[in-house]
Amino acid sequence: MRVGRIRRRCKRLIKELGLPSSTDLPGLCAIVAERVGRPVHLVPMSLGGVVSGMTASTDDGYWVFYELRTSPWHQIHIVLHEIGHLLLGHEQDPAVTEDALRMWTPSMDVTTAMRRLGMTPGFARHHCYDNLTERETEVLGTLLMERVVPTSADHGLPLRGRAAELAAALGPALRHVRDTGGTAGTRRAPRAPGSDGGGARV
């Protein structure tokens, strides 16, 4: 698909959302939630340089994890990439097992750990442009950037409730990938333990 057609499709989608001329990420997530039919939660956390963002799907919504230790504008870019996958209806790729995190152990080799996290060995640490899915998502994210402004930083306030549970499950697996030399970019994460469907996205 040519870039011009992708841009036209993305512009139509943005028009259908009925976005205001300016909004912040929580405001955008509320609008996106209406579109996708499920709550969209934002979870800032340190992702250890393994990924910049990922989205887990659970029975109580979508959870967009994004790097805490970066600039507000970069955080917006990461989150918009994640939201772009949701809005464009991209399917999970690659497929991962439902209990990927639950089955994780420190003795697991890095290739298996990355596969269960939905990552591809050798995937660059930036968004890729080598397939239609990523091109569409990047175009939509860039167009959405024109409408979204940063909010005040949360300075790493402690996560609570379900967000804290998911982060606690994800953190050790990400550290394992990082410490054993795995390389990944922004990829889809596995479905969290206790979820009833969906999977996870980047």
Side-chain angles (χ1 to χ4, degrees):
M1 184 183 295
R2 295 181 180 276
V3 174
R5 291 181 61 186
I6 292 175
R7 285 182 62 86
R8 287 192 294 273
R9 180 192 178 195
C10 291
K11 285 182 176 181
R12 285 196 301 270
L13 197 158
I14 292 174
K15 185 176 181 179
E16 292 171 1
L17 289 175
L19 295 176
S21 58
S22 179
T23 186
D24 58 11
L25 285 177
L28 176 63
C29 286
I31 294 171
V32 172
E34 292 185 8
R35 174 87 178 193
V36 300
R38 303 177 74 183
V40 178
H41 309 280
L42 297 177
V43 187
M45 65 176 287
S46 176
L47 297 173
V50 179
V51 292
S52 55
M54 54 174 56
T55 302
S57 174
T58 70
D59 56 357
D60 46 2
Y62 294 109
W63 301 79
V64 177
F65 296 88
Y66 63 97
E67 179 56 54
L68 173 65
R69 299 173 181 175
T70 190
S71 70
W73 281 111
H74 187 212
Q75 290 177 336
I76 287 178
H77 177 79
I78 295 167
V79 172
L80 293 182
H81 185 91
E82 302 301 310
I83 286 176
H85 281 300
L86 296 179
L87 289 172
L88 291 165
H90 292 155
E91 296 299 324
Q92 181 181 354
D93 178 27
V96 291
T97 59
E98 176 177 354
D99 48 1
L101 288 180
R102 191 180 308 165
M103 294 174 61
W104 178 85
T105 66
S107 62
M108 182 180 296
D109 66 274
V110 65
T111 301
T112 302
M114 292 179 73
R115 184 173 66 249
R116 289 182 175 175
L117 281 170
M119 302 173 190
T120 303
F123 196 87
R125 290 177 183 268
H126 53 75
H127 302 308
C128 75
Y129 294 86
D130 61 355
N131 61 65
L132 176 59
T133 295
E134 293 299 319
R135 287 200 301 271
E136 284 185 320
T137 306
E138 285 296 322
V139 169
L140 179 57
T142 299
L143 293 173
L144 287 171
M145 283 280 284
E146 300 173 1
R147 306 287 190 95
V148 179
V149 297
T151 53
S152 58
D154 57 22
H155 303 292
L157 295 177
L159 299 175
R160 299 180 183 277
R162 186 70 165 132
E165 293 174 7
L166 294 173
L170 180 62
L174 288 175
R175 286 193 296 274
H176 176 66
V177 172
R178 179 195 64 200
D179 295 343
T180 50
T183 302
T186 301
R187 298 300 305 161
R188 296 191 170 98
R191 187 171 55 192
S195 65
D196 68 347
R201 308 169 176 275
V202 287

